Amino acid sequence: MGYKFIRVILFAILLMNKMQGQPFFTVGAGTNDVIRGMYADDATNTLYVGGQFSHTGNIPCAAIAKWNGIAWDSTRNQLVNFVRSFQRFKNEIYIGGAIAFFDSSGILIGPYIAKWDSTNGYWIKFCDDANGSTFELIANDSNLIVTGQFDSIGGIYSPKIARYDGNNWYGYPPLDVVGGGFTAAAAVYYNGDLYVGGNFESQQGPNMKDIAKWNGTQWQSVGGGLSGPFTWVNAFAIYQGKLIVAGGFFTSSGDPGNGVAAWDGTSWSQLGTGVGPGQVFCLQVYNNELYVGGYIYDAGGIPVSHIAKWDGTQWQSLGITLDNAVNTMAVLDNDLYIGGAFLFMNGDTVHHIIRYNYLTGFEAIEKLSEELYVSPNPGNELCNITAPSFTNSTLLLYDITGRILMQQSFTAKAELDISSFTKGVYIVEIKNKKDETVKGKIVKN
């Protein structure tokens, strides 16, 4: 009897810790298959999610869906195959991957890159087809850079990397050796130069295996490149003034790090003993720390489960167990979103995506409590708050950092004017004299 009682108490404690102390949470219904890429669009406060899925919950959304902080939505497209990358360029959203879609006549088109027609509300082909899939899209004020496995795109010959200025396509000198099985998987601007990483052996000069930089005139070596026989660069990030390079490479093969290394424009350095033993697929800077995701089990000698973080000095585990790889990360409204091939976190079904918030107090808010009603939500002017069981209470409104923006008495309902607030997510809390509370998110659009 005593043993059973102890087991019940331990289970209750574990459940309480899991519900209240664990800062990782599900994102609605998630997706029904692998997530390959995510993009936080600050212009519309929207998280775009792409992959191999066909649904999120009961919403059909072939290969691409949107999350507004509260609910999922479809872009109502007819995409097939999978979406891997996103980028806003000249106020339009572009997507890449191994995509194809049906046009209005029911004809299957395979451009490997498309853009959103906001006037008519669907994805459109905007250039001559690439002859291979696209991997990465990045942009500055002048150009959209596209990398991938193609040899031609937009009607020009430009193997594996090209740029688009909004009207025309332009090529680069070929990076890969003749007949090489080259892929440009990642690109980034660092110190004014364009860096490209992937799996290639350059024909432009020595010491440019798997990574090179374009200085505006020619391709150049980045610290001698990589040297291992099966190396690959998958991702870039800029952290503490350095270019972080991640992928599949190891010091045992003469490479500058294990899975991850830092480049300062002149020389390489390691981040502790790195991560492994598999590959890093994605990087994300969040809360002044560097998050690393992939197919990894060790970070600096610490056991991890496909994700870890570097605080500038040492590696740390995030204290969760995922059953498969992390493919992509993005930050929206101070939340870190993590997507990939995983279906379970700590044994619970999470459907390929989770959300993390390092802030205390608000991290567990995924949706409004059943006792708290907000209408309209999202909204942009007057916001009606109703909590019938909360009389003689106090209403507090916070920004996402926890700063109190408004405090007033509350009895069952109130009307808030949010017209002067900036676009984003806010937290409403109702607290009665017994210190009982309800909390929820309000989205200002």
Side-chain angles (χ1 to χ4, degrees), residues 213-346:
K213 71 175 180 179
W214 176 256
N215 67 359
T217 304
Q218 61 183 354
W219 293 109
Q220 293 183 323
S221 171
V222 178
L226 301 182
S227 56
F230 304 107
T231 52
W232 194 300
V233 171
N234 289 316
F236 292 120
I238 297 173
Y239 179 65
Q240 295 184 339
K242 295 181 180 180
L243 177 63
I244 308 302
V245 181
F249 48 85
F250 307 95
T251 56
S252 59
S253 297
D255 293 320
N258 291 309
V260 61
W263 171 255
D264 64 5
T266 303
S267 60
W268 291 103
S269 60
Q270 295 190 53
L271 279 64
T273 57
V275 300
Q279 287 199 50
V280 175
F281 296 144
C282 57
L283 299 168
Q284 181 66 56
V285 177
Y286 173 66
N287 190 32
N288 299 316
E289 295 176 312
L290 178 69
Y291 287 73
V292 176
Y295 200 85
I296 55 174
Y297 295 95
D298 179 277
I302 300 171
V304 298
S305 181
H306 303 303
I307 188 167
K309 68 178 181 179
W310 172 258
D311 66 4
T313 303
Q314 61 185 357
W315 289 102
Q316 296 178 17
S317 168
L318 273 66
I320 59 173
T321 299
L322 300 174
D323 66 305
N324 212 326
V326 171
N327 293 335
T328 179
M329 293 182 281
V331 175
L332 182 71
D333 282 335
N334 218 38
D335 288 332
L336 175 65
Y337 290 86
I338 302 162
F342 57 88
L343 183 61
F344 300 100
M345 181 190 76
N346 297 345

Side-chain angles (χ1 to χ4, degrees), residues 331-374:
V331 175
L332 182 71
D333 282 335
N334 218 38
D335 288 332
L336 175 65
Y337 290 86
I338 302 162
F342 57 88
L343 183 61
F344 300 100
M345 181 190 76
N346 297 345
D348 295 327
T349 306
V350 293
H351 295 291
H352 307 291
I353 184 169
I354 53 177
R355 176 180 64 87
Y356 169 62
N357 190 310
Y358 74 93
L359 297 171
T360 58
F362 302 135
E363 66 270 16
I365 302 170
E366 181 57 49
K367 60 182 179 181
L368 294 174
S369 165
E370 293 181 359
E371 299 180 48
L372 180 63
Y373 305 90
V374 178

Side-chain angles (χ1 to χ4, degrees), residues 137-253:
L137 306 179
I138 67 166
N140 58 19
D141 292 338
S142 303
N143 294 296
L144 176 71
I145 304 297
V146 181
T147 72
Q149 294 178 322
F150 54 84
D151 289 312
S152 63
I153 187 171
I156 68 166
Y157 175 75
S158 187
K160 315 313 186 286
I161 180 169
R163 66 182 177 91
Y164 176 65
D165 67 2
N167 295 300
N168 300 300
W169 286 92
Y170 301 90
Y172 292 87
L175 267 171
D176 56 327
V177 296
V178 176
F182 166 55
T183 297
V188 69
Y189 285 103
Y190 174 65
N191 288 346
D193 294 323
L194 173 65
Y195 285 73
V196 178
N199 176 241
F200 56 89
E201 294 188 23
S202 174
Q203 65 176 357
Q204 297 298 314
N207 304 318
M208 281 190 274
K209 184 178 185 297
D210 300 327
I211 184 170
K213 71 175 180 179
W214 176 256
N215 67 359
T217 304
Q218 61 183 354
W219 293 109
Q220 293 183 323
S221 171
V222 178
L226 301 182
S227 56
F230 304 107
T231 52
W232 194 300
V233 171
N234 289 316
F236 292 120
I238 297 173
Y239 179 65
Q240 295 184 339
K242 295 181 180 180
L243 177 63
I244 308 302
V245 181
F249 48 85
F250 307 95
T251 56
S252 59
S253 297

